[in-house]
Amino acid sequence: MANHAIILLAEDNEDDVVLMKRALNRAGLSNPVHVVSDGHEAVEYLKGAIEAKSTGCQIPLLICLDINMPVLSGFEVLGWIREQPNLKGVPVVILSQSDHRPDINRASHLGANSYLVKPANFDGLVSMMATMKQMLGTLENQIEPSVTPGN
């Protein structure tokens, strides 16, 4: 897995951000995490990545969206992402405390690759991040040709 590729995390709760970063690291995903605290910031970051205006912006390996964010919701950001030709192949995971079927259905309808309910404890969060790592590995193997060690 390309360890230099960025994971974009759109999350407005600072405590959740800290826990998710720790859980990603513990699960073996050592990629840098770029955090935005609302949906508008997520869209602006992704616009910059598409246009390559800023060297600090790159198209992420994975986008993680909280549903309930200020300015633009995770659903609104997801809908925007799926309208962008340059982002169609980027996996988007919805991370939410909601397990309501209408939210899950809406995320699926809008094109989310996965909908994960935030667990109540850290070990559960690590397990969830390990699942995301497996998902990324599977997607990467489907997209990239195998690389011979040393190349």
Side-chain angles (χ1 to χ4, degrees):
M1 190 171 311
N3 285 343
H4 63 282
I6 286 181
I7 295 171
L8 179 63
L9 174 60
E11 172 62 64
D12 63 323
N13 183 313
E14 290 182 33
D15 292 335
D16 283 354
V17 169
V18 170
L19 289 173
M20 284 188 214
K21 283 181 164 183
R22 287 182 184 161
L24 281 165
N25 202 6
R26 175 104 30 108
L29 268 169
S30 58
N31 300 68
V33 178
H34 182 82
V35 179
V36 294
S37 60
D38 66 51
H40 177 73
E41 286 181 29
V43 169
E44 289 303 309
Y45 176 88
L46 293 167
K47 282 180 181 177
I50 291 169
E51 296 170 6
K53 287 182 179 176
S54 168
T55 58
C57 292
Q58 60 178 272
I59 293 179
L61 172 71
L62 171 70
I63 301 169
C64 299
L65 298 173
D66 184 25
I67 289 177
N68 297 315
M69 291 186 292
V71 188
L72 294 173
S73 73
F75 291 130
E76 291 170 308
V77 175
L78 175 59
W80 180 86
I81 289 169
R82 292 306 182 218
E83 292 173 353
Q84 308 308 308
N86 293 336
L87 299 176
K88 289 214 184 273
V90 178
V92 178
V93 175
I94 298 293
L95 302 173
S96 177
Q97 292 180 346
S98 169
D99 63 355
H100 293 106
R101 179 56 57 188
D103 289 340
I104 297 167
N105 290 342
R106 185 173 179 197
S108 177
H109 176 73
L110 288 170
N113 295 80
S114 188
Y115 186 106
L116 301 174
V117 177
K118 294 176 186 175
N121 61 51
F122 185 70
D123 289 337
L125 190 59
V126 171
S127 178
M128 186 173 82
M129 296 303 159
T131 299
M132 286 185 8
K133 179 182 178 184
Q134 287 179 320
M135 179 188 76
L136 285 173
T138 301
L139 287 171
E140 194 170 70
N141 289 336
Q142 292 171 359
I143 295 169
E144 295 181 4
S146 59
V147 177
T148 308
N151 289 345

